[in-house]
Amino acid sequence: MAARGPSAWVGWAWFGAFALIVVGFTNVIAGAVAAFSSDVVVSWSAEGVAVVDVSTWGWVHLLLGAALALTGFALMNGATWARVTAIVLIGLNVLAQFVSLPATPWWSVVAIALSFAVLWALTVHGDDVENVAG
Protein backbone atom coordinates (compact mmCIF):
# COMPACT_ATOMS: atom_id res chain seq x y z
CA MET A 1 0.00 0.00 0.00
CA ALA A 2 1.37 3.42 -0.95
CA ALA A 3 2.21 5.96 1.72
CA ARG A 4 -0.51 8.50 2.21
CA GLY A 5 0.47 12.14 1.79
CA PRO A 6 -0.70 15.01 3.94
CA SER A 7 -4.28 16.13 3.59
CA ALA A 8 -5.48 19.68 3.09
CA TRP A 9 -5.98 19.85 6.87
CA VAL A 10 -2.27 19.74 7.67
CA GLY A 11 -2.46 23.39 8.73
CA TRP A 12 -4.59 22.40 11.72
CA ALA A 13 -2.06 19.82 12.82
CA TRP A 14 0.75 22.37 12.62
CA PHE A 15 -1.44 24.87 14.46
CA GLY A 16 -1.90 22.29 17.22
CA ALA A 17 1.85 21.74 17.55
CA PHE A 18 2.65 25.48 17.48
CA ALA A 19 -0.14 26.35 19.93
CA LEU A 20 1.11 23.60 22.25
CA ILE A 21 4.51 25.30 22.32
CA VAL A 22 2.93 28.71 22.96
CA VAL A 23 0.76 27.39 25.80
CA GLY A 24 3.78 25.61 27.25
CA PHE A 25 6.00 28.70 27.21
CA THR A 26 3.23 30.86 28.64
CA ASN A 27 2.69 28.34 31.44
CA VAL A 28 6.43 28.34 32.13
CA ILE A 29 6.47 32.14 32.45
CA ALA A 30 3.30 32.34 34.56
CA GLY A 31 4.47 29.39 36.65
CA ALA A 32 7.88 30.94 37.31
CA VAL A 33 6.28 34.20 38.42
CA ALA A 34 3.86 32.38 40.72
CA ALA A 35 6.46 29.89 42.03
CA PHE A 36 8.57 32.65 43.49
CA SER A 37 5.59 34.58 44.86
CA SER A 38 4.42 34.41 48.45
CA ASP A 39 0.82 35.36 47.56
CA VAL A 40 -2.22 33.35 48.51
CA VAL A 41 -5.66 33.60 46.93
CA VAL A 42 -8.71 33.48 49.18
CA SER A 43 -12.02 32.50 47.61
CA TRP A 44 -15.38 32.55 49.38
CA SER A 45 -18.27 30.31 48.45
CA ALA A 46 -21.41 28.87 49.99
CA GLU A 47 -19.39 25.88 51.22
CA GLY A 48 -16.76 27.97 52.98
CA VAL A 49 -13.41 29.60 52.38
CA ALA A 50 -10.70 28.20 50.11
CA VAL A 51 -7.10 29.34 50.44
CA VAL A 52 -4.85 28.57 47.49
CA ASP A 53 -1.08 28.87 47.75
CA VAL A 54 -0.02 30.49 44.49
CA SER A 55 3.59 29.29 44.69
CA THR A 56 2.59 25.61 44.80
CA TRP A 57 0.46 25.94 41.68
CA GLY A 58 3.26 27.97 40.12
CA TRP A 59 5.53 24.93 40.26
CA VAL A 60 2.78 22.76 38.76
CA HIS A 61 2.33 25.19 35.86
CA LEU A 62 6.09 25.55 35.42
CA LEU A 63 6.70 21.81 35.09
CA LEU A 64 3.57 21.20 33.03
CA GLY A 65 4.46 24.09 30.73
CA ALA A 66 7.95 22.73 30.14
CA ALA A 67 6.51 19.31 29.30
CA LEU A 68 3.96 20.91 26.93
CA ALA A 69 6.61 22.94 25.09
CA LEU A 70 9.01 20.01 24.71
CA THR A 71 6.19 17.79 23.47
CA GLY A 72 5.18 20.50 20.98
CA PHE A 73 8.70 20.57 19.54
CA ALA A 74 8.72 16.77 19.28
CA LEU A 75 5.32 16.91 17.57
CA MET A 76 6.65 19.35 14.98
CA ASN A 77 9.44 16.88 14.25
CA GLY A 78 6.86 14.16 13.57
CA ALA A 79 7.39 11.99 16.66
CA THR A 80 4.52 9.51 16.89
CA TRP A 81 4.65 9.31 20.70
CA ALA A 82 4.32 13.10 20.95
CA ARG A 83 0.75 13.13 19.68
CA VAL A 84 -0.54 10.85 22.44
CA THR A 85 1.61 12.55 25.06
CA ALA A 86 0.35 15.97 23.94
CA ILE A 87 -3.27 14.88 24.26
CA VAL A 88 -2.67 13.64 27.82
CA LEU A 89 -0.74 16.79 28.78
CA ILE A 90 -3.41 19.06 27.31
CA GLY A 91 -5.99 17.26 29.45
CA LEU A 92 -3.86 17.84 32.53
CA ASN A 93 -3.39 21.48 31.53
CA VAL A 94 -7.17 21.98 31.31
CA LEU A 95 -7.54 20.56 34.84
CA ALA A 96 -4.74 22.78 36.15
CA GLN A 97 -6.31 25.85 34.54
CA PHE A 98 -9.69 25.08 36.12
CA VAL A 99 -8.02 24.97 39.52
CA SER A 100 -6.25 28.27 38.77
CA LEU A 101 -9.46 30.10 37.85
CA PRO A 102 -9.64 32.02 41.18
CA ALA A 103 -6.07 33.27 40.81
CA THR A 104 -5.94 34.10 37.08
CA PRO A 105 -9.47 34.01 35.63
CA TRP A 106 -8.79 35.64 32.27
CA TRP A 107 -5.69 33.66 31.42
CA SER A 108 -7.27 30.42 32.60
CA VAL A 109 -10.28 30.90 30.31
CA VAL A 110 -8.03 31.73 27.33
CA ALA A 111 -5.74 28.77 28.09
CA ILE A 112 -8.70 26.39 28.39
CA ALA A 113 -10.14 27.56 25.06
CA LEU A 114 -6.76 27.27 23.33
CA SER A 115 -6.24 23.85 24.90
CA PHE A 116 -9.53 22.60 23.46
CA ALA A 117 -8.53 23.91 20.02
CA VAL A 118 -5.20 22.06 20.30
CA LEU A 119 -6.98 18.93 21.49
CA TRP A 120 -9.32 19.05 18.50
CA ALA A 121 -6.47 19.65 16.05
CA LEU A 122 -4.41 16.76 17.42
CA THR A 123 -7.21 14.24 17.68
CA VAL A 124 -8.78 14.98 14.30
CA HIS A 125 -5.76 15.99 12.19
CA GLY A 126 -2.69 14.96 14.21
CA ASP A 127 -1.61 12.20 11.86
CA ASP A 128 -0.98 14.84 9.18
CA VAL A 129 2.02 16.15 11.16
CA GLU A 130 3.56 12.68 11.05
CA ASN A 131 2.99 12.48 7.29
CA VAL A 132 4.68 15.82 6.60
CA ALA A 133 7.58 15.59 9.03
CA GLY A 134 8.17 11.84 8.78
Side-chain angles (χ1 to χ4, degrees):
M1 181 158 81
R4 190 184 80 142
S7 73
W9 292 97
V10 73
W12 278 107
W14 283 102
F15 162 79
F18 181 74
L20 193 67
I21 294 168
V22 170
V23 169
F25 279 142
T26 309
N27 276 5
V28 166
I29 293 168
V33 168
F36 299 108
S37 173
S38 61
D39 294 341
V40 291
V41 175
V42 179
S43 176
W44 289 274
S45 68
E47 291 82 30
V49 177
V51 178
V52 178
D53 182 13
V54 176
S55 65
T56 302
W57 276 105
W59 284 107
V60 170
H61 284 286
L62 182 77
L63 296 174
L64 185 59
L68 285 166
L70 291 174
T71 304
F73 283 119
L75 192 62
M76 280 198 164
N77 287 325
T80 304
W81 61 267
R83 182 177 172 201
V84 175
T85 304
I87 291 169
V88 170
L89 289 175
I90 280 293
L92 292 174
N93 186 50
V94 168
L95 290 174
Q97 294 300 333
F98 270 118
V99 172
S100 298
L101 272 170
T104 56
W106 288 105
W107 167 245
S108 292
V109 169
V110 169
I112 289 167
L114 189 57
S115 294
F116 279 121
V118 170
L119 188 63
W120 177 80
L122 294 180
T123 54
V124 176
H125 305 292
D127 58 339
D128 285 334
V129 171
E130 297 166 7
N131 289 330
V132 169

